[in-house]
Amino acid sequence: MTRLTGCESCTDLTCSSTIEVLGSDVSKNVVTAYDRVQSRGMSACLFGSGGTCCRNCNMGPCQIIDGVEEMIGICGATAETVVARNYARTIAAGTAAHADHAREMIFGFIATAKGETPHEIKDEEKLHMLAKVFEIETEGRDKNEIALELGEKALAEFGKQQGTQVMLKRAPKKRQELWKRLGVEPRGIDREVTETMHRTHMGVDQHYENIMLQGARVALADGWAASMLSTDLTDIMFGTPVPIRAMVDLGVLKEDMVNVAVHGHEPLLAESLCMAAQQEDIQALCKKVGAKGVNLVGVCCTGNEILMRRGIPVAGSFIQQEMVLATGAVEAMVVDIQCVMQSVAQVAKNFHTEIITTNYRAKMPDAIHLQFDEVDSLNSAKDILKRAIGNFKKRGACHIPKDTKLDVVVGFSHETINYILGGRFRSSYRPLNDNIINGRIRGVGAIVGCENYKLPDDVHVIVAKELIKNDVLVLATGCAAQALGRAGLLNPEAAAKYAGPGLAEVCETVGMPPVLHMGSCVDNSRILIAATAMVEEGGLGDDISDLPAAGTAPLWMSEKAVSIGEYFATSGVYVVFQNLPVSGSKVMKKYLYEDMEEMYGGMWDTEPDPVKLAHKMIAHIDKKRAALGIDKKRERVLFDMQMRRDLTDGTGLTDVGCHGPA
Ligand code: NFS
Ligand code: SF4
C-alpha cells in the first residue's frame, strides 16, 4: 500500500521527518491514520458533512434535504433547525472540553496556594492583575492567601447560576455593551453547556437564530471565561511565557536517553514530569539501565505548554502522534485528555513502548492506567518515569530522523508582545499600533487549531507564507503553530526570507519572527487580550471588530476549534475555515457568513483553497484599514535611527530568553 495520502501534495519540509520515519524498516508494520484515510474506500456521508443528519430522538435518525418538503424531520424540524442544533452542540462540546481542562488547572492552583503541591505561585505581577479583576484585596496579603481567594472565586465562575462572567469586563467596553444588548453574556460556564444541550434536545428551541444566540453565549463562556481563566492561572502558577529558543520535530528524540512523550493538554502533569525527571533518584535509575537521563518531549498542546514555559522540545503535533511512536525510540507515551487517538495503543504494540493513561476521564484498551495525583504530583510523576526507565533496555531497532530538529523561538504571550515591542521601560502596544497605522504591518492574522489527515498537511504553511509576504503579522497557537515551526517560520531569520518589506523591517528591528507562537489552544484567549490591548492603545477604532485582523483554523479537526472560531467571530473577528458542517442549510450559511457580521462585526466564512483563504483574510484586513482611513498610508517608510530606538529601546530580541516582561 502506498502511504501518506496527506503528504503527496505537500512540497514543503513540513512532513519530511514523517515520510522518513514511515519509510524506514522499523515502522514497516505500523498502520497510521494516513493508511486508514486511504483504505476507507467510501466518501463521507453528505448529511453528516452538511450538518443535516439529526439523531436527537428515536423517531429518527432523520436526514434532511434543504428545500424538499417531504425531507424534513419526522417532527417537522427544518434544515436550518437541525444544522443550528448540531452546530451549537459542537460548540458546547468544545467549550466543555476547555472548561474541564480549566477546572482541573484551578484545582491544582488552589492546592498549590494551600502549599499542598510541589509547585508555587510564580508570577506575582499577574496574580495581582487578576486579583484586581476579581476585586480581591491584595494590600498587605501574602501571595498564597491572594491566590487561594482567586482560585476559589475562579472556580465559582463555573457553577454560577445568576449574573455574568467576571472576565467579560476585560473586553473592550463597546463589545461588552453589544453582548449585553444581544443577551449573549454567559452566566455560569457549566450552565451554558447544560442549557445548550437542553435547548438542542428534541422539541425545545426550534428557531435557528435563537439557537445560535445560545451558541454564541456558550462559546463566549469558553473564550472569555474557561480558556482565559486556565491560561491566566496556569501562567501565575508556572510562569508567564517569555521568548525562548527550542526545537521541534521527531528528531528531538534521543538514542541514548529514556524518551518519554507527554501527550494531551493539562500542563499539571507535564510540569510535574519535568520536575521529576531532574530528581537525583530518577537520574540514578537512568544510569543503572545505561541511559543518560530522561528525555521528555511534548506532543500536541501539552507540548506547547512546556515548550512555551520551559523550552522542552516538541516531538510532534496532532498529526505526528503515531509517528513519534513509529520511531521505535519511545519508552512511554504519557497521555491525559483530548486529541489522543485510540490508535496510539495499537501502534505501540509494534514496539516496547507503553501507553500510560493518567486521567480517570480518559482510558483506552491496551494502555495501562496510572492515575495522576495532582497533590502528590511529584511521586505520581516519578512512578510514571520509573515505568518508562524500566522499558529502556527492552528497546529494539529504532529510527530517529537526524536532520529535522528545527530551531524555533516561542513564548510570545500578550505580556511579551507588550514588552518586546514597547521596550523595557514602557511596555505598550503603541509601536505595534503605529506600525499598523503607518502600514508597515498591514494587519494581524491568527492561524490556530488542529491538523487533519483528510487534507494536505502544508495548508498552514501556505496560508502563513501568503500572509507574511503581504505584511500581515501572524499569531499562531495549537498544532498549527507547531506545523509553522517545522516549516522554519518561527525564527527571526524567516522574516528576511519570507516577509514583505514592511513586516520584515519591523521583525528585523525588533529581532522577532514574522509568526509569533502564542501557546496552546486554551491560549487563544491570549489573542483576545492582545486584540483588546490594541483597541485600548488607540488609533485603531474602539472595538475588536474595527481592527485590521482576521483568523483561521484551516485544518480544524476538534470540536474545540469550532468553539474557538465562534468566540472569535462573536468577539468581532472575521474567521475563515476550509469547511464547516453547515453546508446543508442555505439559511444557516447566510446567518454565519452574512448576518453575523451585522450583529457582531465578526463573522464566519469558508474557503477550501489555502491561497484564496489567505487572500480573503487580507481583503478583510484591507476593508478594515479603509474604514479606519489608514488605507492610504501603506507607502513604504524607511526606519531612521530614532525610529529604531523608539521601537526597541535598545533591547533587541536577538538576546531572547535573557529578559522577561519587566
Ligand atoms: Ni487544539 Fe490542542 Fe492540536 Fe487541535 Fe488538538 S492538540 S487544544 S484541538 S489537534 S490544535
Ligand atoms: Fe428526526 Fe426531529 Fe427526532 Fe431529529 S428530533 S431525529 S429531526 S424526529
Side-chain angles (χ1 to χ4, degrees), residues 269-296:
L269 167 68
E271 285 280 337
S272 303
L273 288 168
C274 291
M275 286 174 92
Q278 287 157 9
Q279 303 272 310
E280 269 172 29
D281 53 339
I282 291 295
Q283 300 206 345
L285 280 177
C286 287
K287 298 253 149 53
K288 234 174 158 178
V289 298
K292 281 195 178 147
V294 172
N295 180 37
L296 204 64

Side-chain angles (χ1 to χ4, degrees), residues 367-416:
I368 61 160
H369 186 77
L370 292 179
Q371 181 60 42
F372 176 68
D373 179 346
E374 65 205 14
V375 171
D376 193 20
S377 57
L378 196 57
N379 285 324
S380 222
K382 279 186 183 178
D383 288 345
I384 292 168
L385 293 184
K386 282 177 195 162
R387 276 201 83 105
I389 296 166
N391 283 340
F392 182 72
K393 277 202 180 300
K394 297 182 211 151
R395 192 195 287 175
C398 65
H399 184 102
I400 301 173
K402 288 277 171 293
D403 303 317
T404 55
K405 286 175 272 180
L406 283 161
D407 208 4
V408 296
V409 179
V410 300
F412 293 92
S413 53
H414 145 71
E415 291 81 354
T416 291

Side-chain angles (χ1 to χ4, degrees), residues 246-497:
M247 302 285 211
V248 293
D249 213 353
L250 301 174
V252 302
L253 294 167
K254 299 229 167 76
E255 278 198 32
D256 52 3
M257 295 179 87
V258 176
N259 290 309
V260 177
V262 49
H263 177 10
H265 284 80
E266 291 171 3
L268 268 169
L269 167 68
E271 285 280 337
S272 303
L273 288 168
C274 291
M275 286 174 92
Q278 287 157 9
Q279 303 272 310
E280 269 172 29
D281 53 339
I282 291 295
Q283 300 206 345
L285 280 177
C286 287
K287 298 253 149 53
K288 234 174 158 178
V289 298
K292 281 195 178 147
V294 172
N295 180 37
L296 204 64
V297 298
V299 178
C300 278
C301 276
T302 276
N304 282 325
E305 300 270 1
I306 45 178
L307 174 78
M308 291 275 283
R309 294 198 182 83
R310 289 181 175 255
I312 302 279
V314 162
S317 50
F318 175 75
I319 211 159
Q320 289 173 303
Q321 57 187 290
E322 296 169 315
M323 309 343 153
V324 173
L325 303 180
T327 60
V330 177
E331 276 57 58
M333 179 179 262
V334 189
V335 307
D336 57 9
I337 46 152
Q338 300 170 19
C339 304
V340 179
M341 298 204 294
Q342 190 175 340
S343 63
V344 290
Q346 304 314 310
V347 176
K349 280 186 181 167
N350 292 283
F351 307 99
H352 69 307
T353 313
E354 271 186 335
I355 306 294
I356 304 176
T357 55
T358 59
N359 187 309
Y360 73 92
R361 297 176 181 84
K363 298 188 178 180
M364 71 170 94
D366 301 315
I368 61 160
H369 186 77
L370 292 179
Q371 181 60 42
F372 176 68
D373 179 346
E374 65 205 14
V375 171
D376 193 20
S377 57
L378 196 57
N379 285 324
S380 222
K382 279 186 183 178
D383 288 345
I384 292 168
L385 293 184
K386 282 177 195 162
R387 276 201 83 105
I389 296 166
N391 283 340
F392 182 72
K393 277 202 180 300
K394 297 182 211 151
R395 192 195 287 175
C398 65
H399 184 102
I400 301 173
K402 288 277 171 293
D403 303 317
T404 55
K405 286 175 272 180
L406 283 161
D407 208 4
V408 296
V409 179
V410 300
F412 293 92
S413 53
H414 145 71
E415 291 81 354
T416 291
I417 295 176
N418 204 11
Y419 165 78
I420 56 160
L421 281 166
R424 197 194 309 237
F425 303 111
R426 43 177 168 71
S427 291
S428 116
Y429 271 70
R430 192 71 254 154
L432 176 61
N433 282 25
D434 284 347
N435 277 303
I436 291 174
I437 293 165
N438 68 30
R440 271 189 214 96
I441 297 177
R442 189 173 193 150
V444 177
I447 304 182
V448 311
C450 324
E451 299 166 309
N452 187 325
Y453 291 90
K454 284 198 311 191
L455 300 157
D457 293 348
D458 55 349
V459 168
H460 291 126
V461 182
I462 297 172
V463 174
K465 282 187 176 165
E466 204 58 35
L467 290 177
I468 62 179
K469 187 171 91 189
N470 286 286
D471 293 318
V472 175
L473 175 66
V474 171
L475 308 178
T477 59
C479 291
Q482 296 179 8
L484 298 175
R486 289 197 299 275
L489 296 176
L490 295 186
N491 66 52
E493 293 77 52
K497 226 165 148 184

Side-chain angles (χ1 to χ4, degrees), residues 607-648:
E607 173 53 59
D609 179 83
V611 174
K612 285 189 191 148
L613 184 148
H615 280 279
K616 278 192 159 183
M617 292 170 75
I618 294 167
H620 180 83
I621 284 168
D622 286 349
K623 183 170 103 181
K624 293 294 167 183
R625 293 190 66 87
L628 288 165
I630 56 172
D631 49 331
K632 303 284 178 300
K633 295 194 182 163
R634 268 189 43 79
E635 82 274 15
R636 192 162 168 228
V637 192
L638 286 172
F639 275 75
D640 61 23
M641 269 324 282
Q642 187 53 47
M643 288 157 94
R644 280 173 193 271
R645 257 180 245 124
D646 287 350
L647 191 63
T648 66

